[in-house]
Amino acid sequence: MVKTKVTEMLGLEHPIFCGNMMNISYPSFAAACSNAGALGIMASVMYRKPEELREALTELKSLTNKPVAVNVNLFPMLKPIKQIDHVKVMLDEGVKIIETSGHQAPDKYIPLFKDHNVTWIHKCAGTRYAQKAASLGADIVEVVGWENGGATGRYDIGTLVLTPATIDAIDIPVVAGGGISDGRGVAAVLALGAQAALIGTRLMATQECPIHENLKQAFLKASIYDTMIIMRSLNATHRVWSNQAAQKVIELENSKSNQMEIFNAAAGAKSKMMYEEGNLDVGVVSVGQSVGLIHDIPSVKDMIERIMKEANTIIQNLSNK
Ligand SMILES: Cc1cc2nc3c(=O)[nH]c(=O)nc-3n(C[C@H](O)[C@H](O)[C@H](O)COP(=O)(O)O)c2cc1C
């Protein structure tokens, strides 16, 4: 068993965070991650109304009594929700671990987190943002390197450099993600000084992941070269699966189309359709380079156990050398 500051702080069996994914990290999936001994993180952004979020939180509580977090989305949205109402529902429902992620620091929510004894985790893609979050009182920072699926930030720094740079820059525990799919990746970021590993893309090819089988099979076949960066022209760089829809976004960016047209082409509603219907080209899906390291579709529990067994063996072997 690997114990770290973060497993101790949160009461986790394994030093693994399961990345929150919009339209995927519903209560059942987040609970599957937590029940496997990792930190499940439920997404909240797909619930348009506070009452829908409340129902989801009730479901989440019925599915796991292990540590579980809920994400507050700070990314710009085509149709914004009233985020403060979502935060109030989370606090009202006794959520004790909140992850924030996005383009801004959650200044106005921090006093609420502190008043309610919430462990506040902030996810970002650069050391300077991690420093800001730490200075505002974050308990844990997650940093994601350029390999990662989803938002990559604007500096293009890989996990191998971003992780130690961030650890050197702040005094609170750092969790590292971007490109981690197996025990080798987990052992690597622990060796860099991270207190846990954050995994997103690899989770898409698990039995419990609520996306269409066509997508899971496509990810099994994909290589490390099958992702691309979009929306750099809008300062909203995302690493996504290289499909027709992503190519279309690049064409729109290159032809200097208007922002709304580009955002519409990359809209989350279209990825949701793909997850539900299995059409591979209708929309844009966040996917990291580790998609090329996926070789099977295990249950979340089997995957986490396998990853930790491999990480433990590596750590043992290195310390016996
Ligand atoms: C399909 C997918 C959807 C994602 N959606 C979100 C999201 O809504 N909000 C967010 O903060 N991160 C999102 N992420 C990022 C993950 O939470 C995590 O930070 C990232 O996947 C870790 O890097 P990896 O993909 O290399 O494992 C998403 C990632 C994927 C693959």
Side-chain angles (χ1 to χ4, degrees):
M1 239 173 96
V2 178
K3 275 192 185 178
T4 69
K5 282 183 199 148
V6 161
T7 60
E8 296 297 288
M9 272 170 88
L10 302 179
L12 298 175
E13 203 179 320
H14 303 303
I16 295 184
F17 284 17
C18 294
N20 120 77
M21 300 185 269
M22 181 182 173
N23 295 319
I24 293 178
S25 299
Y26 289 109
S28 57
F29 192 56
C33 296
S34 289
N35 289 336
L39 182 71
I41 308 176
M42 190 187 102
S44 68
V45 61
M46 57 272 191
Y47 303 106
R48 303 288 315 165
K49 297 188 183 136
E51 283 322 304
E52 292 167 6
L53 174 62
R54 196 181 293 279
E55 274 173 37
L57 291 173
T58 306
E59 187 186 348
L60 181 67
K61 281 186 262 183
S62 75
L63 295 172
T64 187
N65 51 19
K66 299 274 179 71
V68 66
V70 180
N71 174 267
V72 172
N73 174 66
L74 305 171
F75 286 102
M77 294 175 71
L78 272 178
K79 293 182 197 152
I81 51 174
K82 208 172 158 204
Q83 198 58 263
I84 184 70
D85 290 346
H86 268 42
V87 170
K88 284 183 181 158
V89 168
M90 290 176 203
L91 300 174
D92 198 34
E93 289 297 320
V95 173
K96 284 292 170 218
I97 311 172
I98 292 184
E99 179 202 59
T100 53
S101 61
H103 288 180
Q104 11 157 343
D107 303 51
K108 54 183 181 236
Y109 311 133
I110 298 165
L112 292 174
F113 295 163
K114 298 292 168 194
D115 284 352
H116 289 79
N117 289 323
V118 163
T119 301
W120 168 37
I121 304 170
H122 185 69
K123 183 166 71 177
C124 56
T127 297
R128 63 167 64 178
Y129 311 119
Q131 284 173 305
K132 172 91 188 283
S135 75
L136 291 172
D139 298 293
I140 297 170
V141 164
E142 298 161 295
V143 281
V144 284
W146 198 59
E147 302 91 326
N148 96 99
T152 57
R154 58 175 83 163
Y155 298 110
D156 302 355
I157 309 287
T159 306
L160 196 60
V161 170
L162 182 60
T163 305
T166 307
I167 290 167
D168 288 347
I170 59 177
D171 289 330
I172 59 170
V174 173
V175 174
I180 303 173
S181 72
D182 55 26
R184 294 171 294 186
V186 171
V189 292
L190 291 177
L192 292 173
Q195 302 296 315
L198 169 69
I199 300 180
T201 296
R202 178 63 184 92
L203 283 170
M204 304 248 271
T206 55
Q207 286 166 21
E208 294 91 334
C209 184
I211 61 171
H212 200 281
E213 189 61 26
N214 289 356
L215 278 166
K216 294 184 190 178
Q217 292 300 331
F219 297 152
L220 265 187
K221 289 190 203 118
S223 83
I224 57 172
Y225 308 107
D226 289 333
T227 72
M228 57 195 278
I229 297 284
I230 60 165
M231 297 200 293
R232 194 181 285 279
S233 64
L234 305 182
N235 257 337
T237 44
H238 269 66
R239 183 176 296 284
V240 298
W241 190 38
S242 192
N243 66 357
Q244 279 175 25
Q247 301 289 351
K248 175 75 187 164
V249 172
I250 291 292
E251 276 166 38
L252 291 170
E253 290 189 80
N254 289 343
S255 62
K256 310 242 175 317
S257 300
N258 82 42
Q259 285 200 4
M260 281 319 278
E261 208 180 335
I262 302 173
F263 275 126
N264 267 321
K270 290 189 183 141
S271 10
K272 186 167 185 276
M273 269 169 68
M274 292 172 76
Y275 300 155
E276 287 168 2
E277 294 165 16
N279 179 318
L280 300 184
D281 281 303
V282 106
V284 164
V285 180
S286 291
V287 168
Q289 293 177 338
S290 67
V291 71
L293 301 175
I294 294 176
H295 307 299
D296 61 359
I297 307 177
S299 69
V300 172
K301 188 167 191 298
D302 287 349
M303 188 195 85
I304 301 279
E305 275 173 8
R306 182 169 74 196
I307 288 177
M308 283 317 300
K309 196 168 168 218
E310 190 184 9
N312 273 313
T313 306
I314 292 168
I315 293 164
Q316 210 96 56
N317 288 346
L318 286 173
S319 54
N320 287 341
K321 275 196 175 143

